[in-house]
Amino acid sequence: MSSLSEIDAAFSEPPGFRIVDRLAIAESGVDPIGLRQLNLDLMDETVPGINNVTMLVRPYCFMAWAWWKARQVAAVDGEVDPKEMAELVARYEAIYAWAHCLAENPFRGAAAVRAYLPLKGSSESFSFKGEKWEQYKKRMTSIMAPTEYGPSLKSLHFLQSEGQGTFRCSQEAEAAVVQIDKAVSSCIPTHILARKPPSVTCEQVEPIAIKLPIQEASKKERDVFRFLFYQAGASDRAHRDMRRRKATIDLIHDVMPPSGREVSVSEIRRRLAAGGSSRKDQEVQISSILLAILQARQLQRLAVESMMLWVEQSLSHNVAEGKRTEQLAIEANSEASKYDDMIASSKSVAEYVDAVLAAGNGIGWPKAAASAKTDIVELMGRLQEAQRRDIPKIPGLALRAFAVVYAVTQAMRESVDKLPETPNPVEARPDRLPMGLMVRRIDAIRNKPLVSLWCDVIENWIVAQHVHWSAIRSIDGKKRLRIALETSGWIRVRSSPSRAFVPTPDRLLTLLSLGSECGLFKRQDGDQPLFGRTVG
């Protein structure tokens, strides 16, 4: 017996001796301190309607066509069977994915295609009914999935929900859909799209990937996408999400160089971290505040998680070799002092935090968040590098990060308090260590030595947060706990520490990629893509 449920069942039986296997509990632990959701909330506020997968325009238009076509094919006397519509859409999407694999241009979900559908060069036909088709549908990575384009297709109004899992193509998307229908009809046999499940060969489906490659949207598709993604936000009747998305795009245009020079995504983040916009538009000003807060929150989360990695690396897996909080705090402060003279010379929490605040006094905060020594983007990069290559540097970098986030939070409080229709991004989700709570914890021990701050960071920001979220999420029986308290002190529960943490992908690259496809930005591809203005 190897599961908790099996052990529970055994204890309900009459007692007796038996031989059992070692208890096997699957390890898990994405977001081990529970800080991610607040970052995602900020992304939803600033760039609603997209995620980190939605990089291309054509999937929006193709799936709008798939539901449009399924309605046409399945309609009988104006009525449709929702299950039949969903079945047709799954078939159309599968054909599109299969064709791209045959054309050696696979996209997400190619593993299922290769496992269940005929491969290039095969003369075998595939029947879109029966056990093999049902197995494929269970394994396929659908463009409509919640983690793929599904929510975005609805949020950007390419599709409108009709209940029972069915959708209708929006009026705004129809121009692109009609064009796609002509292209599909010109390159694959009509029986493939008919109500009756067809048997299909590789030769019959491959042309659709050549005629409609997923990376190459037509002008009509780009125009439709540009309207729904950006231009619709200018209407007085526009939904709040449309207005916010347009304002964020306007802000990014504003922070880009006016000369037409292209800049990296990191540079755009740096300029967003500095806050402010030359535009007087209130919506743009709100986006500016929220995006400046988001950059600081990204740094705060990465710094706390990096310190968790440092704590795990500092602990033993041996129960007899535990460490007390005070011992870990002294070690953290000692390591930090080796790499930062300001830490070494500071006799109190206030002295260090005020020294970092003063470093930005020349230009003010949050502008200083883009300056040398207090650059949010550079600090995130250095924290990631230290996790991979130089663990002892983490405490010094993390403390600098905490002080920078403290400075940004204090500078943005007045602006945040005036935000309309938006949850306070500095105080929201108090169980996830928001920036405002972090500032109050620092202020509560301002006059104490830095070791006191390290004790709070280790015991409350990291271990208490981690234990709390491990317990909340333990209902699925997976092992999430990484740090535990024994008589000897804190120990590492797992044999090896966590892997390196990375910042939550902030959707900026997604927005820039989609914007470049539909003509809102210029893009120069390379190892580090560069972006520039195309509209003011």
Side-chain angles (χ1 to χ4, degrees):
M1 99 188 38
S2 59
S3 72
L4 291 172
S5 60
E6 289 173 315
I7 290 175
D8 288 339
F11 275 117
S12 68
E13 298 173 1
F17 293 102
R18 68 191 70 192
I19 297 174
V20 300
D21 296 329
R22 179 185 292 273
L23 180 64
I25 304 178
E27 290 189 346
S28 184
V30 175
D31 191 25
I33 319 182
L35 304 185
R36 177 175 61 174
Q37 189 56 51
L38 182 48
N39 298 50
L40 297 177
D41 290 348
L42 278 163
M43 294 169 203
D44 286 336
E45 283 290 335
T46 53
V47 193
I50 61 174
N51 59 30
N52 295 306
V53 174
T54 51
M55 292 279 193
L56 301 170
V57 165
R58 175 149 283 164
Y60 288 94
C61 300
F62 182 85
M63 291 310 298
W65 167 82
W67 284 101
W68 176 86
K69 189 67 176 180
R71 181 174 297 278
Q72 284 192 338
V73 172
V76 178
D77 297 327
E79 297 294 325
V80 293
D81 178 350
K83 290 184 178 179
E84 185 176 7
M85 273 191 74
E87 176 74 8
L88 286 166
V89 170
R91 186 205 306 171
Y92 300 160
E93 185 181 349
I95 286 167
Y96 196 52
W98 181 17
H100 275 75
C101 281
L102 296 173
E104 299 181 352
N105 182 25
F107 53 86
R108 289 166 68 91
V113 173
R114 296 188 180 107
Y116 293 99
L117 304 181
L119 302 178
K120 191 173 182 66
S122 171
S123 59
E124 176 190 357
S125 63
F126 180 82
S127 177
F128 281 89
K129 65 178 180 180
E131 184 179 353
K132 203 167 186 180
W133 168 231
E134 294 301 323
Q135 289 175 341
Y136 171 78
K137 285 191 292 182
K138 291 177 182 177
R139 285 276 312 276
M140 70 183 291
T141 303
S142 174
I143 293 174
M144 291 297 298
T147 55
E148 299 288 320
Y149 283 74
S152 192
L153 275 154
K154 292 171 275 185
S155 295
L156 296 188
H157 299 280
F158 275 84
L159 291 173
Q160 297 167 343
S161 177
E162 292 195 314
Q164 296 183 290
T166 65
F167 300 91
R168 182 182 290 275
C169 169
S170 70
Q171 185 177 354
E172 294 87 350
E174 278 192 8
V177 163
V178 169
Q179 186 181 66
I180 286 180
D181 190 56
K182 291 178 181 176
V184 173
S185 300
S186 71
C187 66
I188 63 173
T190 56
H191 78 280
I192 293 178
L193 308 177
R195 294 180 74 177
K196 182 180 178 182
S199 290
V200 184
T201 64
C202 298
E203 186 180 17
Q204 289 173 317
V205 301
E206 185 174 355
I208 194 173
I210 297 168
K211 187 80 172 181
L212 292 170
I214 195 167
Q215 298 92 346
E216 297 178 19
S218 67
K219 182 180 184 304
K220 183 69 73 176
E221 290 170 90
R222 294 195 303 269
D223 289 345
V224 166
F225 186 87
R226 179 174 174 144
F227 175 77
L228 291 171
F229 189 59
Y230 175 72
Q231 293 167 335
S235 169
D236 293 337
R237 297 185 298 169
H239 184 272
R240 176 175 174 267
D241 285 357
M242 291 178 172
R243 300 197 312 270
R244 171 65 48 243
R245 197 164 49 242
K246 180 181 183 301
T248 295
I249 291 169
D250 286 339
L251 172 66
I252 293 172
H253 278 123
D254 197 34
V255 302
M256 285 179 168
S259 63
R261 181 171 61 88
E262 293 164 337
V263 292
S264 66
V265 177
S266 293
E267 179 59 26
I268 294 171
R269 289 193 181 103
R270 185 173 288 112
R271 294 176 183 212
L272 292 172
S277 170
S278 61
R279 300 189 189 221
K280 302 301 181 185
D281 184 289
Q282 184 189 32
E283 295 286 352
V284 175
Q285 292 295 330
I286 293 171
S287 283
S288 176
I289 293 166
L290 292 172
L291 281 162
I293 297 275
L294 174 57
Q295 310 314 310
R297 172 61 185 186
Q298 291 278 71
L299 175 62
Q300 180 203 11
R301 180 191 174 194
L302 181 63
V304 175
E305 291 178 334
S306 297
M307 275 304 301
M308 181 172 183
L309 181 64
W310 181 88
V311 169
E312 288 185 77
Q313 292 273 12
S314 302
L315 295 176
S316 171
H317 188 50
N318 189 330
V319 173
E321 298 176 4
K323 290 184 179 181
R324 299 290 180 185
T325 301
E326 294 75 10
Q327 183 181 351
L328 288 167
I330 291 169
E331 290 177 11
N333 199 56
S334 174
E335 293 289 0
S337 298
K338 293 177 185 177
Y339 299 102
D340 190 330
D341 292 340
M342 286 170 61
I343 296 174
S345 62
S346 295
K347 295 183 171 53
S348 69
V349 174
E351 194 171 333
Y352 178 71
V353 170
D354 290 346
V356 175
L357 279 166
N361 283 344
I363 60 172
W365 293 92
K367 286 186 178 179
S371 300
K373 296 186 178 179
T374 53
D375 183 334
I376 281 179
V377 175
E378 182 184 350
L379 273 169
M380 285 197 282
R382 292 176 67 189
L383 279 165
Q384 291 180 81
E385 182 69 14
Q387 287 184 76
R388 291 191 297 267
R389 301 178 186 276
D390 205 344
I391 297 291
K393 285 186 178 179
I394 287 177
L397 293 169
L399 194 59
R400 177 62 58 93
F402 298 147
V404 168
V405 174
Y406 179 99
V408 171
T409 306
Q410 296 286 51
M412 300 292 286
R413 276 194 181 281
E414 186 175 343
S415 299
V416 166
D417 289 341
K418 297 177 182 177
L419 288 175
E421 302 181 0
T422 302
N424 188 323
V426 167
E427 300 292 353
R429 295 192 182 267
D431 56 345
R432 297 178 188 269
L433 193 64
M435 292 158 58
L437 177 58
M438 187 201 79
V439 166
R440 288 192 293 279
R441 296 196 73 91
I442 291 174
D443 282 341
I445 53 174
R446 276 181 64 83
N447 297 322
K448 293 185 177 181
L450 275 172
V451 170
S452 299
L453 177 56
W454 284 120
C455 285
D456 195 38
V457 169
I458 292 165
E459 196 158 280
N460 293 304
W461 303 16
I462 296 171
V463 178
Q465 281 277 130
H466 171 55
V467 171
H468 169 74
W469 286 105
S470 295
I472 284 177
R473 295 171 177 155
S474 65
I475 57 173
D476 61 0
K478 291 185 178 179
K479 179 180 176 182
R480 287 178 165 79
L481 197 66
R482 305 180 188 204
I483 299 170
L485 184 62
E486 293 288 343
T487 305
S488 59
W490 299 111
I491 65 162
R492 189 175 70 240
V493 175
R494 300 183 181 185
S495 58
S496 57
S498 302
R499 294 185 220 169
F501 295 95
V502 296
T504 313
D506 64 5
R507 304 182 192 171
L508 180 59
L509 179 58
T510 310
L511 181 144
L512 291 166
S513 295
L514 289 170
S516 298
E517 274 215 67
C518 70
L520 292 170
F521 303 105
K522 294 186 298 180
R523 173 170 178 154
Q524 179 182 319
D525 283 318
D527 293 338
Q528 292 289 329
L530 302 176
F531 296 89
R533 296 184 182 196
T534 56
V535 299

